[in-house]
Amino acid sequence: MTVHVDITADQESDLLHLQQTLHAHLEHLLPAGNPSDKVRAAMRAGTLAPGKRIRPLLLLLAARDMGCDLRQRGIFHLACAVEMVHAASLILDDIPSMDNAQMRRGRPTVHREFGENVAILAAVALLSRAFEVIAVAPDLSAVQKTEAVAELSAAVGLQGLVQGQFQDLHEGTKSRSPDAVALTNELKTSVLFRATLQMAAIAADASPQVRENMRYFAQDLGQAFQLLDDLIDGCKHTGKDPFQDQGKSTLVKLLGTQDAEQRLLEHLRSAELHLNSACDCGVATRQYMHALFTQQLALCH
């Protein structure tokens, strides 16, 4: 990895504080219920399990870089909603009729722990709860809430995660061109990053031009992130099943490891240019992005 950005002790402390605050908000928004309430327990297991919280952290950092005051409680509601949608997508990805994964975030997948029917119901309930959380978010205007719901719902639907998962399941094992794989990657990964960063821009009352730059930033970031995920498939210490992409036509398989990593770096450079155009005063998002990729790629180097 040719791009390296060190995170200072103060920045590490800031990220840890944001992670702890996020977890506390998630705990509050997904309270424990009766011990017999397996669906609620599965929702909490899928969402509160230790994880990197990449999407909600990006939302908070980008919003702050665009001038948003994180003391505004509604911004944490938006971040939690994004994490709930992401958790729901992972629960569904892992079930036997999809990827049939056994491990996620270093623990048994939700369907292994609670059963497939409970896992599906938990995922549906998390999606529902995510939009409810946005609807009741404090310190945000009705227009901001409506725009946030529109962004997140578009990311979930037929032009987002649903379509990406369908293509991955039904086209992933076939011979495909790099462009076809990149389109699936955009639907699987970039669209949720786009919604995440658009929601940050909405909370910050960003201009249309800034929102457009953040849209391009998210597109490149999502492509880079999916390439990263494919590159570290099979590596130890990822917290999930190794070799999940075995038999699939990924960009790593089509281009080779070296060219795929070069393509990842090109997406990161492009992402940084768009981010600089969107919020040249803030550096936290940029530093977090580069540190994340440096750390994750080091797993296989």
Side-chain angles (χ1 to χ4, degrees):
M1 183 82 170
T2 58
V3 177
H4 182 77
V5 177
D6 289 320
I7 295 287
T8 67
D10 284 346
Q11 290 161 344
E12 283 277 13
S13 177
D14 179 47
L15 285 173
L16 180 60
H17 173 70
L18 289 178
Q19 285 177 320
Q20 290 172 339
T21 306
L22 267 169
H23 189 83
H25 272 77
L26 285 166
E27 281 268 14
H28 175 71
L29 293 168
L30 295 172
N34 189 294
S36 64
D37 190 343
K38 298 301 182 185
V39 172
R40 188 182 296 272
M43 291 168 69
R44 285 172 56 86
T47 310
L48 298 176
K52 294 183 285 291
R53 309 276 188 248
I54 293 168
R55 290 153 190 82
L57 279 175
L58 273 172
L59 189 153
L60 295 170
L61 293 171
R64 190 171 63 188
D65 280 351
M66 286 184 281
C68 184
D69 186 346
L70 296 191
R71 288 174 298 183
Q72 175 182 295
R73 291 177 299 155
I75 191 68
F76 278 93
H77 274 59
L78 297 185
C80 288
V82 165
E83 185 66 3
M84 289 177 193
V85 167
H86 179 57
S89 74
L90 296 183
I91 292 171
L92 292 175
D93 283 354
D94 289 342
I95 62 175
S97 61
M98 301 284 187
D99 291 345
N100 196 22
Q102 303 300 300
M103 298 293 294
R104 174 70 70 176
R105 291 177 170 175
R107 58 182 289 171
T109 47
V110 171
H111 73 267
R112 281 187 63 204
E113 186 174 355
F114 296 94
E116 187 174 359
N117 56 0
V118 172
I120 293 170
L121 292 172
V124 173
L126 278 171
L127 291 171
S128 174
R129 182 61 173 146
F131 292 108
E132 181 185 10
V133 162
I134 296 174
V136 300
D139 304 328
L140 294 175
S141 71
V143 171
Q144 286 174 312
K145 294 176 187 180
T146 299
E147 290 183 349
V149 166
E151 290 290 345
L152 194 55
S153 60
V156 173
L158 283 173
Q159 294 307 310
L161 298 177
V162 169
Q163 186 65 232
Q165 181 70 357
F166 177 83
Q167 288 187 10
D168 194 46
L169 287 169
H170 293 270
E171 305 291 334
T173 57
K174 299 177 182 178
S175 177
R176 296 187 292 170
S177 68
D179 286 347
V181 176
L183 176 58
T184 298
N185 290 349
E186 179 175 351
L187 295 167
K188 283 173 56 181
T189 308
S190 291
V191 290
L192 188 53
F193 278 114
R194 184 179 66 212
T196 297
L197 292 160
Q198 286 301 299
M199 289 164 72
I202 288 165
D205 284 323
S207 69
Q209 185 58 57
V210 168
R211 289 184 61 170
E212 185 72 4
N213 287 327
M214 293 302 281
R215 189 171 289 109
Y216 288 126
F217 167 57
Q219 185 170 349
D220 274 311
L221 181 63
Q223 289 288 346
F225 193 81
Q226 188 58 52
L227 279 162
L228 173 66
D229 195 58
D230 293 342
L231 283 163
I232 65 175
D233 182 56
C235 298
K236 297 179 180 178
H237 314 302
T238 62
K240 58 183 182 179
D241 295 4
F243 304 111
Q244 276 291 99
D245 294 333
Q246 197 161 19
K248 290 185 178 180
S249 53
T250 66
L251 286 174
V252 175
K253 299 277 180 60
L254 293 175
L255 304 175
T257 300
Q258 186 173 350
D259 285 352
E261 189 166 333
Q262 184 59 40
R263 187 164 175 151
L264 183 155
L265 292 174
E266 290 168 2
H267 279 300
L268 279 185
R269 293 188 192 101
S270 179
E272 184 164 9
L273 289 174
H274 294 305
L275 180 61
N276 289 345
S277 297
C279 48
D280 57 355
C281 295
V283 297
T285 308
R286 187 177 310 114
Q287 289 170 326
Y288 175 67
M289 176 181 71
H290 284 304
L292 172 69
F293 279 88
T294 300
Q295 179 189 55
Q296 290 295 299
L297 277 175
L299 291 172
C300 293
H301 284 246

